[in-house]
Structure formats: structure tokens, C-alpha cells
Amino acid sequence: FIGPDITAGLIATSVPERARPTLFIDLGTNGEIVLAGASVPTLAASAAAGPALEGAATTCGMRAETGAIERVALDGASLTLGVIGDTTPAGICGSGLLDLASVLLDAGVLDESGAFAPESADGLAVHLAERDGVRVFVLDEASDVVFSQKDVRQLQLATGAVRTGIDILLAEAGMHPREIAEVVVAGGFGLHVSAHAIARLGLIPAGWAD
């Protein structure tokens, strides 16, 4: 799965000609990763991330089109949703899923294992409910847009696959994450992803958030 998409990306960004080590990541169903730079050997890997990062295989997942929640932020004790087209939410796309999971981790609604915290009557935990025997976090009651425990697991599989690919490339090159000068995230989905969210969820090392 190392093919024309990531090749075009490398040409467009001139990553292989850069003086310092750079990691290029094309996020999608296959997470394609290239480590390159004048001072390092060019290495590539492909990780089977699955469809979750592109908004599929999740309860209310959808493509990044009108009605998709693409941004989620914490505003005090409530959530602020960014919806494509400024309309009623119809679902949530990949960038929104990553934002949401990151926010729920920060708020303590998700623990570090990815499990929902016990329900309570305060904070964001008031949004927790149960649907057909599965715990869910309700983003929009009127539209019934939810994020389920199963969705969390799909997201973990995707982020874990890409992170494993990154770690393998660094190990193959004998490099520490701090030796990477720049990270370029590409792809139709990668263009809109939050650096804070992917670092918070461990898709990239925390030190790469900037």
C-alpha cells in the first residue's frame, strides 16, 4: 500500500530532500508512513488502520460532508461542536472522532484504557447513557448522534496501528522521537486533524504535538 498517494505527497513537500529527519504520514484506512531526509535512509511502512479515521465503522460515523461534526472542544463544562455547513449534526467524521476522544480523556470521561467512567450527575458525564446494552456518550440528543464504547475500541485500533508503524520505522533507523525535526500529516483526512488530538491519543509521540 505504499503507492501513488504518498509518492505524490513526498514530491509535493520535498521531504526526501530536507536536511533534517522528517516523518511524512498519510492518514486513512491505510496509514502510510515515510521517514526521510538527507541525513537518514528513506524508510516506508503501511499500517492497516481500518476505516474509523475516515468516519466509517463507527455508530454515527460519516464522511467529512455537510452535517458532519468535524471539531469538538471543551468550553468550561460543556462541549462546542463544529459542524460542516453550520447545520444540524447528522454524524461525526474522523477529525471529530479524534477531537472528541481527546476531550473526553482530558475531562476524565474516558480513562487511559479507553473505558467510559462511571456515570455521574456532573460535568460531561451527564451525557453518558446506554443504548442496546452498549454505553454511549450522547453528543446531540435531538439528532441522536452518539459515540459508543465500541467506537472507542475502533479508534484505539486505528491509532495503535499507525503508532506501531511509526515506532517500527524509528527503531529500524535507530532513532529516538526527539531526533525527528518535523512531522508532515497529509491526506484528505490528515489535512483537518488536530495535532493536539493525535498526540493526546498516542497516534504520535506527545513531544511531536508542536
Side-chain angles (χ1 to χ4, degrees):
F1 296 104
I2 299 296
D5 284 359
I6 198 162
T7 302
L10 292 171
I11 292 170
T13 56
S14 301
V15 164
E17 288 77 48
R18 297 189 184 195
R20 299 189 297 167
T22 301
L23 202 75
F24 186 98
I25 309 171
D26 190 326
L27 289 174
T29 300
N30 289 300
E32 299 164 350
I33 312 155
V34 173
L35 172 64
S39 61
V40 296
T42 298
L43 299 172
S46 179
L53 294 180
E54 295 185 311
T58 53
T59 307
C60 294
M62 64 181 292
R63 294 171 59 86
E65 56 193 19
T66 300
I69 298 171
E70 63 171 345
R71 286 278 174 262
V72 180
L74 187 60
D75 183 11
S78 61
L79 290 179
T80 299
L81 305 180
V83 183
I84 297 175
D86 293 323
T87 186
T88 302
I92 181 166
C93 63
S95 60
L97 286 169
L98 290 172
D99 273 2
L100 176 61
S102 173
V103 164
L104 296 184
L105 269 174
D106 288 341
V109 176
L110 281 176
D111 66 21
E112 293 295 331
S113 77
F116 281 124
E119 293 182 45
S120 69
D122 64 338
L124 293 181
V126 298
H127 292 270
L128 290 171
E130 190 168 304
R131 303 284 171 84
D132 300 321
V134 178
R135 298 196 73 198
V136 300
F137 182 89
V138 182
L139 281 94
D140 188 272
E141 188 77 46
S143 302
D144 200 30
V145 177
V146 302
F147 180 55
S148 76
Q149 186 68 74
K150 291 181 179 179
D151 299 338
V152 176
R153 299 308 181 202
Q154 289 294 318
L155 206 55
Q156 286 177 305
L157 288 172
T159 56
V162 176
R163 176 58 183 271
T164 300
I166 291 171
D167 289 347
I168 288 172
L169 284 188
L170 291 175
E172 187 72 18
M175 298 182 68
H176 189 278
R178 65 173 172 267
E179 297 179 76
I180 300 298
E182 186 175 6
V183 180
V184 179
V185 182
F189 160 69
L191 181 64
H192 302 283
V193 74
S194 157
H196 168 76
I198 60 175
R200 181 68 178 91
L201 298 179
L203 187 150
I204 60 172
W208 290 358
D210 60 348

